[in-house]
């Protein structure tokens, strides 16, 4: 079970959280301008990376806030956690 | 000519202390070029190669596998085989596979131990009942054997289920597909490997694909740890690693690779002789021919390639098991494992051409790929050989995510919506 | 007979406390402190079971959790009988009953023994090669296979024991209380770290605690004495929790571990009554010290599996710890010094040890010298080539090895009498937990062991599991590692004076040669599953090269002992046969659990009534008292219908439905989700999440809202009321409430953080009673006489904040039944009182409580959808003929774009329609499929029946359905093919009753 350092509550057991998929996918501001292909990109296509991935998590059984996480999906090591709305670090 | 397997050859070989059995498959180095290459040496990939050779006379082909063949889902599996899916397209797909299962041991001359002991899906609330009845009617009209059972009939078919009305979510009924059942997972991979090898297919293990070479809109070949292999047709059957390969070709897929866990108990004398699945009280169970209870449920909710899942899933699964089978409380978990499953947004697979000529993908089977192994191989081989899908896999194309023509099987795939 | 196999023992057996137990129906005696294994051995019983495949007679091999053979069924009671229990781990108690497994009629005379003679036909993987013909016979073969497979028997009644979970957070977890574990625990605790020390045995001190040789000393005390003193001090320390009989089952990432604490399995029936049986410890440790020791290896030679053939350390433990003699003619067979310790210990107790067979050419270590000084005969460079004795070892045959160890120096064969053979093939560090947690191993050539290479963070291994086998190395290295790991200057174990015997020569041969050809030998690698070295070579020959393939093909390591004794030999034989180096063959992946873990323990207390929570409304008791039947809607218990007298469900629902439309009905609607929405951007927010327009909704007005997923499919619905300028209350479906709230929060936090909107779940804050029917206005008038209920003052789809008596309530005039209807919301604690007042006020109007079934029926008469029943995640609002709820003007809302995808816009999609049966008394089955042409192959299904009832208000059956192209099929005849008949239907408008909505304004 991961130990996740919620930016608001501190370290908590994974069972308090829900994973929310790939991070930094912005909902298009002008959906009607998009082709069906482009809309499908937003709706369905995912990087699904083996390795360093940027993703979202929610502290569902706690403060219920969303935040971002950088995690290595090949070994589940959490590298960094940062608040929702913050930009991911470079490099 | 390869050794035929039978009781006679078993007896004959006993005299030479079984020292004369031939290799089940060879261990060749890759050639410089093939007519087609299958990336991924699991059940589906090996089956694809087998059918390419057998039905489409494509024998100058290779299967490249980054580890050892059958190391993924055919290495450890809860092995449920059924075809009672809701939509016509799915019913057609899975029943095609089921029909092949029914004669597979004989076809491969390898006992895959396909046991048609029936699969039940239980209903625990009124909407479950409606959904199961809907599915049963659809199955019946699609020519797939399915009956709806009352609570009493469920109990009769599997006496150890706790059908009392005072449990939290009582069993209100269920469906039964009698032709459904289980099989021996590693036998399928090994059986197809042996068969394909016999026809001249090169099975190349410990050969990892590092890149896909494209010439504009078509493929030229694959870069591997054993060198570059030239080919005009690449069939990718890499399950949880499908996105990794797709990214090499500059393609995006709608998949997420998540951990799927399962476990077995210590072996005991026969105690349950069918397969029982439940969505609402989420777990499924059967008993292997060795006597182990084989138990599984759903995936974790995060992407991972670590082949480990979180403990809370195991606890939740066993919680559901003890709710329905309180006699199992003293059984012991002997082994647990985790794998990587590629989940598709509509819980249906992708067997499809892509926008790149010569590049084909067979993936997205999620938690339900094992049952389709022979059918998947057969239809994918057809798709590759003809550069067009078979009518049975036409609906499972990549394009459906653009048009919206999804095949939503969350209910029938027994995963939470 | 039993007593002359006992020697004066140690402090670990209480000879004053005699215990009687039964084995295979016969009564025997042992002492408190005995395990079933030691007690049986003391009674001269070695044959305790039969192997899985060949049904060969098997005896007790070990003294611990690595036991492969002595597994028994414990207990006769159908609820608490337990299969596959290791006799070496059962602590005997009065009343214990155990029996052998996998044999019939008895372990002594087992019909299954015939498999032993059929063994040439039963090599590894034989079942892949046969049972295929005739195809139809597979079912019959399978029955036979399944009955011969399996070991013990499952209980057939529900478990009566209780299991618990406990969470432990600690600074340091020490796994294993052998000598290095004790050092670690003491060091950590003394340095003010909160420490947890666990050991799977019932005594601390591992093997050292019963060690009695003068050769092993620490600070001039015999090591066992020294350790005993350390343990006494340890027990007095603060910050230290010690748990025995506790086995660590799993080591997950982030230092999260699961351990199983055994609380009552060693107690008699009376003693264990009402106590928790086992506890699962869920441990989160800042630092973990793995001190799990190592397991002795057997040797692999022809017929190495007879009862009486044991590990040398087990023979020693039975003598030194349990005071039990395992044989009258003891011989040891070894490739290292360990067996000498065992032999010497036995000799000193006056137990007969005939000789030692050592495959090494020589050794001059001090322990070997001591053995020689005691007159022990040693056969150097010899190996055992065969053993004899079917149900108990009688003799062994030995020959001299050639220089290279692959064959023999000469053809002399010596036969020796022997009824107990202690073998020692070296030691395998127990690195299971280390690798489970992600640790990587390296192979050490000199003693052929896999040891930790790099520790994962915040973890170390010490002692023999780290590759330190000699006492001086253990003390020094453990101390050094602890200093570094715990970041301290001294451990208290620095610079100690340690005396030990040092091993000076090593030799390892994975598969010892026989004078017979391999095909005629049976050198067992996996005892439980009967996998021999032959099988491994067969697998390799057939092309199974990886350890994973070999393991699966031969089932090596897949028994209940999880390959603890044999995995190394399997690897070794693969390496030797294929010419690959050991370090490169790899090990199989070690996965949890370390020893098998009881399901009940994993689940804990959440069984029976604690399986899932019950959510109940404040009116729940009233429903129960009025005979309501309930249905589960998610975690809620909702009143389903209220049968009176002997009414069937059908009769009750018909009555309730009629009564509501004729006069008045009352429904408990408390379970519907309620979300309080506040903020200056609340209207904009609603515009974005619902399909229809919200900006112009007046204060005090209600509106129906439909919510889609981004893929355009209907997701949830409900009425939302504007309470104030920036204040709304949204309702959702009962089942969707939590998901909707999560989803909305997700959008607010991650997509639209600029919106000033706050959401609060208030589902549980308010109870809701909905009164509906022509007389509902009159009833409300009695409850709130001063409220003007005219259409001008209180129109349909509006809201009033009023008081009933002194209590505030919110009243929405909304209707799901199509009747004039008021939804009264009140603070939850007044829910029951509100209901009772409504019932009272409505008495003269025959107010009828109705449940969810009637509610479904009434709304169906009006063609209203139920999300999740009429929709299945694949229907758009257009499909549902709800175009009116989709705003054409709004630029965007969740799901809008998807509505314009090519497939989503097709005209021939499934659309919602009504169906009337030709025979008005035939009620369709919900879920039935619909076709337009009979005798079609393949059958083309157009859709299905989603909701279906007999309507008492219309006097006929009605149904809602989704049908491809249904929009354009009004009046068309379709068919419902059931199993036994076909039903004719006509497609109609889904609104069956009061199309003009006259009743809303009665």
């Amino acid at each position: 079970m991961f130990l996740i350092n919620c930016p608001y509550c501190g370290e908590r057991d994974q069972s308090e959280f829900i994973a929310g998929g790939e991070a930094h996918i912005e909902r298009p501001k002008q959906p009607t301008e998009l082709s069906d292909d482009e809309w499908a990109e937003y709706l369905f296509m995912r990087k699904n990376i083996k390795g360093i991935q940027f993703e979202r998590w929610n502290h569902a059984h706690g403060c219920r806030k969303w935040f971002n996480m950088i995690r290595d999906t090949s070994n589940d090591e959490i590298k960094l956690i940062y608040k929702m709305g913050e930009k991911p670090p470079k490099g | 000519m390869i050794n035929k397997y039978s009781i006679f050859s078993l007896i004959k070989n006993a005299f030479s202390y079984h020292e004369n059995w031939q290799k089940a498959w060879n261990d060749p180095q890759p050639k410089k070029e093939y007519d087609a290459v299958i990336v991924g040496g699991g059940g589906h990939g090996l089956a694809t190669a087998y059918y390419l050779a057998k039905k489409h006379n494509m024998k100058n082909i290779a299967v490249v596998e980054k580890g050892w063949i059958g190391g993924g889902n055919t290495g450890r599996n809860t092995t449920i085989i059924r075809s009672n899916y809701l939509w016509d397209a799915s019913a057609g797909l899975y029943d095609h596979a089921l029909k092949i299962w029914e004669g597979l041991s004989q076809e491969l001359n390898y006992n895959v131990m396909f046991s048609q002991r029936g699969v039940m899906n239980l209903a625990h609330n009124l909407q479950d009942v409606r959904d199961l009845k809907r599915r049963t009617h659809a199955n019946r009209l699609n020519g797939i054997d399915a009956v709806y059972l009352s609570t009493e009939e469920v109990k009769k078919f599997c006496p150890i289920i706790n059908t009392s009305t005072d449990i939290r979510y009582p069993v209100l009924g269920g469906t039964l597909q009698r032709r459904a059942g289980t099989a021996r997972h590693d036998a399928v991979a090994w059986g197809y490997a042996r068969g394909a090898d016999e026809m001249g297919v090169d099975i190349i293990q410990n050969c990892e694909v590092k890149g896909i070479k494209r010439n504009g809109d078509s493929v030229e070949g694959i870069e591997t740890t054993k060198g570059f292999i030239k080919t005009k047709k690449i069939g990718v059957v890499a399950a949880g690693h499908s996105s990794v390969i797709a990214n090499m070709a500059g393609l995006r897929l709608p998949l997420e690779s998540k951990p799927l866990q399962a476990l077995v108990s210590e072996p005991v004398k026969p105690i349950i002789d069918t397969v029982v699945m439940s969505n609402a009280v989420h777990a499924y169970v059967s008993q292997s021919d060795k006597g182990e209870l084989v138990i599984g449920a759903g995936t974790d909710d995060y992407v991972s390639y670590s082949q480990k899942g979180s403990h809370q899933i195991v606890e939740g699964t066993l919680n559901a098991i003890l709710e329905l089978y309180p006699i199992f409380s003293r059984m012991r978990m002997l082994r647990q494992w985790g794998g990587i499953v590629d989940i598709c947004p509509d819980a249906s697979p992708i067997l499809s051409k892509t926008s790149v000529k010569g590049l084909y993908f067979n993936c997205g089977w999620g938690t339900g790929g094992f049952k389709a192994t022979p059918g998947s191989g057969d239809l994918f081989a057809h798709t590759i050989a003809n550069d067009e899908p078979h009518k049975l896999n036409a609906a499972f194309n990549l394009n459906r995510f653009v048009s919206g023509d999804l095949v939503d099987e969350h209910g029938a795939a027994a995963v939470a919506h | 007979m039993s007593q002359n196999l006992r020697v004066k023992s140690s402090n670990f057996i209480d000879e004053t406390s005699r215990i009687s137990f039964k084995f295979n129906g016969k009564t025997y005696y042992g002492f408190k402190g005995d395990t079933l294994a030691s007690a049986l051995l003391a009674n001269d019983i070695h044959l305790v079971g039969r192997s899985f495949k060949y049904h060969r007679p098997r005896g007790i091999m070990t003294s611990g959790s690595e036991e492969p053979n002595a597994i028994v069924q414990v207990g006769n009671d159908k609820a608490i009988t337990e299969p596959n229990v290791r006799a070496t781990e059962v602590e005997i108690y009065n009343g214990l009953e155990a029996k052998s497994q996998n044999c019939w009629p008895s372990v002594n005379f087992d019909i299954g023994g015939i498999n032993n003679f059929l063994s040439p036909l039963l090599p590894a993987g034989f079942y892949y090669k046969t049972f295929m013909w005739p195809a139809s016979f597979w079912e019959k073969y399978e029955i036979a296979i399944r009955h011969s497979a399996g070991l013990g028997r499952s209980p057939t009644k529900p478990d009566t024991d209780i299991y618990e979970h406990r969470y432990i957070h600690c600074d340091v977890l020490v796994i294993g209380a052998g000598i290095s574990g004790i050092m670690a625990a003491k060091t950590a605790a003394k340095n003010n770290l909160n420490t947890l020390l666990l050991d799977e045995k019932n005594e601390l001190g591992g093997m050292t605690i019963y060690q009695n040789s003068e050769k092993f000393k620490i600070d001039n005390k015999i090591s066992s004495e020294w350790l005993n003193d350390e343990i006494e001090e340890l027990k007095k320390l603060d910050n230290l929790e010690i748990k025995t009989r506790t086995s660590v089952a799993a080591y997950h990432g982030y230092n999260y571990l699961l351990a199983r604490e055994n609380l009552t399995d060693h107690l008699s029936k009376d003693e264990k009554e009402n106590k928790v049986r086992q506890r699962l410890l869920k441990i989160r440790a800042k630092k973990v010290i793995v001190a799990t020791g190592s397991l002795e290896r057997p040797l692999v030679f022809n017929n190495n599996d007879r009862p009486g053939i044991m590990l040398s350390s087990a023979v020693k433990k039975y003598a030194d710890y349990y005071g039990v003699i395992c044989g009258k003619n003891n011989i040891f067979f070894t490739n290292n010094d360990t067996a000498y310790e065992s032999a010497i210990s036995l000799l000193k107790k006056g137990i007969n040890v005939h000789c030692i067979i050592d495959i090494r050419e020589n050794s001059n270590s001090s322990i070997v010298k001591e053995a020689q000084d005691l007159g022990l005969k040693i056969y150097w460079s010899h190996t055992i080539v065969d053993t004899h004795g079917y149900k108990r070892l009688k003799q062994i045959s030995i020959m001299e090895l050639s220089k290279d160890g692959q064959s023999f120096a000469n053809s002399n064969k010596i036969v020796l009498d022997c009824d107990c053979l202690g073998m020692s093939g070296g030691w395998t560090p127990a690195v299971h937990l280390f690798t489970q947690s992600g640790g990587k191993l390296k192979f050490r050539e000199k003693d052929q062991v896999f040891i930790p290479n790099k520790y994962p963070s915040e973890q170390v291994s010490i002692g023999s599991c780290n590759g330190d086998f000699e006492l001086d190395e253990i003390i020094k290295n453990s101390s050094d590692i602890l200093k570094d790991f715990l970041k301290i200057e001294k451990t208290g174990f620095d610079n100690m004076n340690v005396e030990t015997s040092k091993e000076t020569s090593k030799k390892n041969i994975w598969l010892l040669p026989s004078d017979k050809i391999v095909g005629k030998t049976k050198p067992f690698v996996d005892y439980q599953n009967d996998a021999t070295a032959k099988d491994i070579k067969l697998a390799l020959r057939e092309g199974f090269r990886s350890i994973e393939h070999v393991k699966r093909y031969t089932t090596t390591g897949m028994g209940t002992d999880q390959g603890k004794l044999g995995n190394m030999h399997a690897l070794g034989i693969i390496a030797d046969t294929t010419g690959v180096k050991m370090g490169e063959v790899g090990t199989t992946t070690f996965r949890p659990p370390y020893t098998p873990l009881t399901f009940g323990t994993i689940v804990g207390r959440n069984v029976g009534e604690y399986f899932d929570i019950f959510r109940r409304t404040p009116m729940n008791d009233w429903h129960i008292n009025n005979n309501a039947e309930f249905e589960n809607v998610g975690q809620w218990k909702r009143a389903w219908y209220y049968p009176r007298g002997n009414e069937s469900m059908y009769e009750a629902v018909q009555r309730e439905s009629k009564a509501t439309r004729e006069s008045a009905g009352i429904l408990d609607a408390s379970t519907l989700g309620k979300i309080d929405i506040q903020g200056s951007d609340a209207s904009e927010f609603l515009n974005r999440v619902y399909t229809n327009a919200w900006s112009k909704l007046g204060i005090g007005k209600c509106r129906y809202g439909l919510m889609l997923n981004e893929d355009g499919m209907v997701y949830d619905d409900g009425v939302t009321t504007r309470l104030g300028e920036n204040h709304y209350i949204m309702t959702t479906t009962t089942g969707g409430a939590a998901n909707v709230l999560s989803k909305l929060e997700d959008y607010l936090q991650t997509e639209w953080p600029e919106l000033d909107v706050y959401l609060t779940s208030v589902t549980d804050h308010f109870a809701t009673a909905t009164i509906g029917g022509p007389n509902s206005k009159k009833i409300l008038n009695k409850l709130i006489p001063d409220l003007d209920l005219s259409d001008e003052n209180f129109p349909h789809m509006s809201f009033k904040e009023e008081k009933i008596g002194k209590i505030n309530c919110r009243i929405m005039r909304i209707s799901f039944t199509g009747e004039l209807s008021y939804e009264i919301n009140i603070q939850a604690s007044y829910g029951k009182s509100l209901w009772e007042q409504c019932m009272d006020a409505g008495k003269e109007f025959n107010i009828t409580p109705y449940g969810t079934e009637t509610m479904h029926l009434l709304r169906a008469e009006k063609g209203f959808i139920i999300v999740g029943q009429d929709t299945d995640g694949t229907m758009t609002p257009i499909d549902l003929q709800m175009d009116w709820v989709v705003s054409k003007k709004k630029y965007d809302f969740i799901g809008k774009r998807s509505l314009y995808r090519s497939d989503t816009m097709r005209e021939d999609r499934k659309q919602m329609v009504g169906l009337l049966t030709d025979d008005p008394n035939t009620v369709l089955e919900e879920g039935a499929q619909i076709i337009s042409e009979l005798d079609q192959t393949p059958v083309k299904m157009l859709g299905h029946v989603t909701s279906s009832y007999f309507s008492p208000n219309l006097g006929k059956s009605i149904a809602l359905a989704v049908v491809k192209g249904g929009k354009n099929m009004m009046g068309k005849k379709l068919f419902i093919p059931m199993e036994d008949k076909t039903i004719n239907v006509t497609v109609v408008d889904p609104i069956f009753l009061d199309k003009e909505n006259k009743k809303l304004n009665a």
Side-chain angles (χ1 to χ4, degrees), chain B residues 18 69 75 106 137 329 333, chain C residues 120 132 159 549 552 597 925:
Chain B
H18 299 288
I69 56 166
Q106 284 70 30
H137 283 294
S329 167
M333 173 167 83
Chain C
M132 293 182 271
D159 193 352
H549 280 170
R552 284 173 177 78
L597 186 57
E925 181 169 271

Side-chain angles (χ1 to χ4, degrees), chain C residues 58-78:
Chain C
R58 288 287 170 78
I60 298 160
M61 261 192 80
T62 72
S63 58
S65 62
E66 66 273 25
E67 177 60 39
N69 288 334
I71 50 178
V72 298
Q73 186 95 21
V74 172
N76 276 331
D77 181 330
K78 290 200 171 102

Side-chain angles (χ1 to χ4, degrees), chain C residues 661-721:
Chain C
R661 289 214 190 277
E662 277 176 357
S663 178
I666 179 169
L667 170 78
D668 180 352
S670 308
T671 63
L672 267 65
K674 303 182 255 308
I675 302 176
D676 185 288
I677 305 176
Q678 299 190 35
S680 54
D681 291 321
S683 310
E684 172 57 22
F685 180 63
L686 291 175
N687 268 341
R688 294 187 191 187
V689 307
Y690 277 138
T691 58
N692 47 350
W694 291 79
S695 329
K696 299 215 182 91
L697 184 66
I699 296 174
K701 293 279 188 274
C702 312
R703 182 166 287 173
Y704 172 79
L706 189 70
M707 227 179 257
L708 309 181
N709 263 327
E710 281 293 15
D711 63 359
M713 306 302 153
V714 169
Y715 171 64
D716 205 84
D717 69 350
V719 171
T720 293
T721 303

Side-chain angles (χ1 to χ4, degrees), chain B residues 20-149:
Chain B
N20 291 324
W21 287 107
Q22 281 171 292
K23 265 190 170 170
W25 54 81
N26 291 298
D27 203 15
Q29 288 305 310
K31 301 212 279 261
K32 288 267 179 282
E33 180 171 358
Y34 291 97
D35 293 337
V37 174
I38 305 299
V39 175
H44 289 222
L46 291 165
T48 303
Y50 176 86
Y51 290 113
L52 275 173
K54 180 120 195 226
K55 288 170 87 167
H56 304 277
N57 207 28
M58 285 179 71
K59 299 187 176 173
N60 179 27
I61 63 175
V63 176
V64 297
E65 163 56 47
K66 81 173 196 290
W68 300 97
I69 56 166
N73 89 111
T74 37
R76 58 192 82 74
N77 203 298
T78 54
T79 71
I80 298 177
I81 298 173
R82 60 190 175 90
S83 61
N84 57 352
Y85 280 70
L86 176 63
W87 301 110
D88 297 345
S90 321
L93 176 70
Y94 291 102
D95 206 55
H96 178 64
L98 186 53
K99 293 197 180 90
I100 302 178
W101 276 110
E102 285 171 327
L104 193 59
S105 294
Q106 284 70 30
E107 154 123 21
L108 296 177
N109 181 230
Y110 205 96
N111 192 359
V112 300
M113 296 156 70
F114 177 46
S115 166
Q116 291 182 282
R117 57 184 71 176
V119 173
M120 278 206 294
N121 289 80
L122 301 180
H124 295 272
N125 57 61
L126 299 180
Q127 190 55 39
D128 274 352
V129 172
R130 287 180 201 109
D131 290 339
L132 286 183
K133 285 198 167 155
R134 176 184 172 191
R135 204 157 23 112
T136 308
H137 283 294
N139 289 155
R140 177 174 52 86
L141 295 171
N142 268 327
I144 292 173
D145 64 314
V147 287
Y148 187 83
L149 303 177

Side-chain angles (χ1 to χ4, degrees), chain C residues 276-289:
Chain C
V276 171
R277 181 193 173 203
Q278 289 188 2
R279 203 180 269 144
L280 186 72
L281 308 177
K282 293 173 164 176
I283 305 166
R284 187 78 76 175
K286 294 215 177 80
K287 289 184 186 290
V288 177
I289 300 171

Side-chain angles (χ1 to χ4, degrees), chain C residues 943-959:
Chain C
H944 71 285
V945 176
T946 61
S947 301
S948 169
Y949 313 91
F950 186 86
S951 161
N953 296 306
L954 295 161
K956 60 186 174 189
S957 97
I958 58 167

Side-chain angles (χ1 to χ4, degrees), chain A residues 1-3 13 25 27 29-32 34-36 39 42-43 56 64-66 76-78 84, chain C residues 252-254 256 284 710-711 741 746-747 749-751 891-895 897-898 900-902:
Chain A
M1 300 295 287
F2 302 169
L3 191 59
D13 185 88
I25 300 177
R27 188 172 186 278
K29 294 267 188 289
Q30 338 264 46
T32 41
L34 299 179
S35 66
D36 279 355
W39 181 244
Y42 163 66
L43 214 48
R56 320 176 321 140
R64 303 177 58 124
K65 301 287 267 182
W66 283 93
D76 293 333
E77 259 180 49
I78 297 175
M84 185 55 60
Chain C
H252 293 297
Y254 298 86
Y256 182 79
R284 187 78 76 175
E710 281 293 15
D711 63 359
L741 179 62
D746 188 347
Y747 277 97
Q749 289 185 35
T750 67
E751 289 294 347
Y891 178 68
D892 194 17
F893 52 83
I894 298 174
R897 177 60 185 82
S898 289
Y900 300 101
R901 294 177 301 179
S902 59

